[in-house]
Amino acid sequence: MLKCRTVWKKLAPLARSSSTLCRQNVKRTGLNNGRIPTCVPAANMSTGPGGLGGDNLKYTIMVGAACVGSLTYAYFLLKGDQKRYQERIEEITTRSQRSSKEEAATVQSEPPAVEATQTEAVPESVPEAAPSPEEPSPPAAPAEEPAAPAEAAAPSETTAPPPADEPVVEAPPEEAATPVAAPVVEEAADSTPASLKVPSHSPYLLIGGGTASFAAARSIRARDPGARVLIVTDEPDLPYMRPPLSKELWFSDDPSVTETLRFKQWNGKERSIYFQPPSFYINSEELASAENGGVAVLTGKKVVHMDVRGNKVKLDDDTEISYDKCLIATGGVPRNLQVIERAGEEVMKKTTLFRKIEDFKSLDNVSRNAKSITIIGGGFLGSELACALGRRSTESGLEVIQMFPEKGNMGKVLPEYLSNWTTEKVKREGVKVIAEALVKSVTCKDDKLEIHLKDGRLVKTDHIVAAVGLEPNVDLAKSAGLEVDSDFGGYRVNAELQARSNIWVAGDAACFYDIRLGRRRVEHHDHAVVSGRLAGENMTGASKPYWHQSMFWSDLGPDVGYEAIGIVDSSLPTVGVFAKATAKDTPKAATEKSGTGIRSESETEDTATSPVASVTPLPPVAHKDDYGKGVIFYLRDKVVVGIILWNVFNRMPIARKIIKDGEEHADLNEVAKLFNIHED
């Protein structure tokens, strides 16, 4: 090609000069036409010795040479293009064949167990369409059980969504305890879903596998029955509820409770901690082809990067998944004391940060082998675990110690008199309580942990449980460009729980604006349920604001429990109205009446629309040391902003309405009548 261009450069001047000569010949010919007769032979113009015959010959040679050069250049150019075209075709063909061989090798090397799982799931769930060769792959929940549970669950997904203020999405306990579902859930506790293909795209992507994420999935499916929802969780388990991990599971008489993860509620009914059995979910590789959509779960996968502009995320194995709508429900991670983190690996090995199923199993094993366990923290989790382990200590001789910096148990939440009463209650459960304890350092000596307090006290123990709060998981904030609240932590969201276009946040990780109480971040089960459900509705176009006042509850065993709503801070002024408790004023009796141990399941807003006060006259206030049951009002600027119902159950809608109204009350004793605490 370069040679042709060189030849053309040399011939171009000759062609131009010949063109000029041609024009001159034409002009001279025109002048001679008037004198020369028309019969002059034409041969004299191009040949012969006379006239311009020699110049015409040169012109002809030059033009011919130029044409030959042009044709040669064109020939080599076309030949080169054809050669490059053939090479490109061969490259594409080779790549396609190589890709097919690799795919065939992958399919042949797949474990037989996965093939069996897929074969069983096909006829029992949705019709299977052959996955495309380029469709990536997932570990979804194994659908190994008969189709009956999945078919029974399907209508619940397509029913009309519950009201936005109703904090219920979990399946009722009876459903989880049916003969068909029971073995399925037990199997889920033992098995880890097989690694299957990760879908390259999901219309609805939910990051996190907790309560908020599951509530959002159910809400999305309720509004869009054909929706395809993918849940990605770094835990090895399917979505489950966390409250029983520190409550009912510890009171189970079943020695295999750590395997089955089934427990008896205070009312005696049995259920599993899993929201749904594996048959409720579909395999991840079937998500794209499922005719009626479904919910798939990728377990053991962590989202490490988020591309907001490209609407895609990257997993820890570099797999990418694109989405249309995304929910961040990453929850939080347990905090630890800095003195423990700095103490070294030996101390960390003997420390439990309680949050997940594996933490429950680990602590259960420790409690059966250790002689002493110390719980650091006097909040909800620390107090619940102290009572649970204290009850076990009476049977095994285990020493249980609870220490906290406050003067009494639950000192940051309860007024001082009630905190002191609760501390005595915990002591009666067999727990050694150390109040006003500030940890200075922790060391490991002779296979024992030594906890040095700032006041000089020394506590020796075999194991530590750090229950000192939760840190919201905001790892994706940087890559996604999302704002983190500097005061409360968590992702800042608007009233519709939206952080950015096509991205919502729910649960512990969401910092939202409460129209009554200001900006807040809540770390409780009921909030996860309601915020997750609302986020799911808004992901399908509902555009609803979040105004629900979520509740939370804590049980110090089957005999003492309380429910709370709003801002419950012991630094606020409080007014308490108490009465003598009866046999029905216990968590056990409450669950027998409502039929569920997850008390938010029985709460509905409409029961509080027209509260009716008790007609029973208000008796004298209970004895100062008798706090059998009652109502504690928390005030800010003379307005009730928080309420605790102490051993008073199924009255939360009334408390929610009082806070929602935001009115001043001249006599809170009259308000207490709304809860009928003086009725037997």
Side-chain angles (χ1 to χ4, degrees), residues 157-483:
E157 296 177 5
T158 57
T159 54
D165 51 2
E166 180 186 348
V168 184
V169 277
E170 300 89 349
E174 293 78 12
E175 178 181 345
T178 55
V180 177
V184 179
V185 175
E186 290 172 6
E187 182 179 351
D190 298 334
S191 60
T192 302
S195 178
L196 304 175
K197 291 186 177 180
V198 178
S200 59
H201 178 77
S202 176
Y204 296 98
L205 177 64
L206 313 183
I207 304 175
T211 300
S213 190
F214 179 79
R218 291 291 299 268
S219 180
I220 291 170
R221 293 277 295 166
R223 288 178 54 87
D224 182 4
R228 295 176 175 85
V229 183
L230 178 63
I231 298 175
V232 181
T233 173
D234 59 355
E235 294 191 50
D237 305 287
L238 297 174
Y240 62 91
M241 59 187 79
R242 299 190 192 274
L245 295 179
S246 60
K247 297 181 177 69
E248 294 93 339
L249 283 175
W250 290 98
F251 294 88
S252 174
D253 297 327
D254 184 3
S256 62
V257 65
T258 55
E259 302 300 325
T260 63
L261 296 177
R262 299 186 64 82
F263 62 94
K264 285 186 177 180
Q265 302 172 137
W266 303 138
N267 60 3
K269 294 182 180 180
E270 187 179 89
R271 72 176 297 177
S272 167
I273 70 168
Y274 292 98
F275 290 115
Q276 291 289 353
S279 55
F280 173 83
Y281 307 95
I282 65 174
N283 288 331
S284 305
E285 79 261 11
E286 299 174 1
L287 187 63
S289 59
E291 182 178 356
N292 298 319
V295 180
V297 182
L298 275 180
T299 57
K301 300 287 184 180
K302 184 177 181 179
V303 176
V304 296
H305 186 271
M306 195 168 188
D307 181 0
V308 176
R309 292 185 177 180
N311 278 13
K312 60 184 178 181
V313 300
K314 180 186 290 186
L315 306 184
D316 49 4
D317 60 359
D318 290 334
T319 304
E320 289 189 348
I321 304 175
S322 61
Y323 61 84
D324 296 331
K325 304 291 178 63
C326 180
L327 172 70
I328 299 176
T330 48
V333 293
R335 289 193 183 101
N336 196 1
L337 296 177
Q338 291 186 359
V339 293
I340 295 178
E341 293 177 342
R342 294 195 300 261
E345 187 176 350
E346 280 188 294
V347 174
M348 286 299 298
K349 285 182 178 179
K350 294 178 178 290
T351 301
T352 295
L353 303 178
F354 199 88
R355 176 69 173 172
K356 305 176 181 179
I357 289 178
E358 60 190 44
D359 301 326
F360 164 72
K361 293 181 177 181
S362 174
L363 186 57
D364 177 79
N365 181 61
V366 169
S367 68
R368 298 181 187 278
N369 296 284
K371 294 181 179 179
S372 172
I373 295 179
T374 298
I375 301 168
I376 302 178
F380 304 107
L381 178 61
S383 300
E384 290 171 358
L385 290 176
C387 288
L389 292 172
R391 183 70 64 91
R392 180 173 291 185
S393 69
T394 58
E395 304 170 357
S396 61
L398 173 69
E399 180 187 33
V400 180
I401 304 170
Q402 183 186 15
M403 61 174 60
F404 41 79
E406 297 81 24
K407 293 183 179 180
N409 202 287
M410 300 295 299
K412 291 184 178 180
V413 176
L414 302 177
E416 185 176 352
Y417 62 88
L418 199 54
S419 173
N420 294 335
W421 186 92
T422 305
T423 303
E424 295 302 317
K425 162 65 178 173
V426 174
K427 289 180 179 179
R428 290 195 296 270
E429 293 292 334
V431 180
K432 179 181 178 182
V433 177
I434 303 178
E436 298 181 279
L438 296 174
V439 180
K440 181 179 180 181
S441 64
V442 181
T443 58
C444 186
K445 185 178 181 181
D446 298 331
D447 204 34
K448 279 270 190 179
L449 294 178
E450 294 186 351
I451 304 174
H452 302 267
L453 303 183
K454 289 188 176 180
D455 59 5
R457 287 179 288 180
L458 175 65
V459 178
K460 294 184 178 182
T461 187
D462 293 323
H463 197 82
I464 290 176
V465 179
V468 292
L470 193 73
E471 191 71 29
N473 186 344
V474 292
D475 292 345
L476 296 175
K478 185 175 182 180
S479 63
L482 302 180
E483 182 181 4

Side-chain angles (χ1 to χ4, degrees), residues 577-580 614 629-631 648 672-673 675-679:
V577 181
F578 292 90
K580 187 175 181 180
S614 170
K629 64 177 179 179
V631 182
V648 176
K673 291 182 180 180
F675 297 92
N676 298 335
I677 63 173
H678 301 292
E679 288 185 348

Side-chain angles (χ1 to χ4, degrees), residues 622-634:
H623 189 269
K624 65 178 182 179
D625 293 330
D626 184 9
Y627 305 113
K629 64 177 179 179
V631 182
I632 302 98
F633 299 97
Y634 290 75

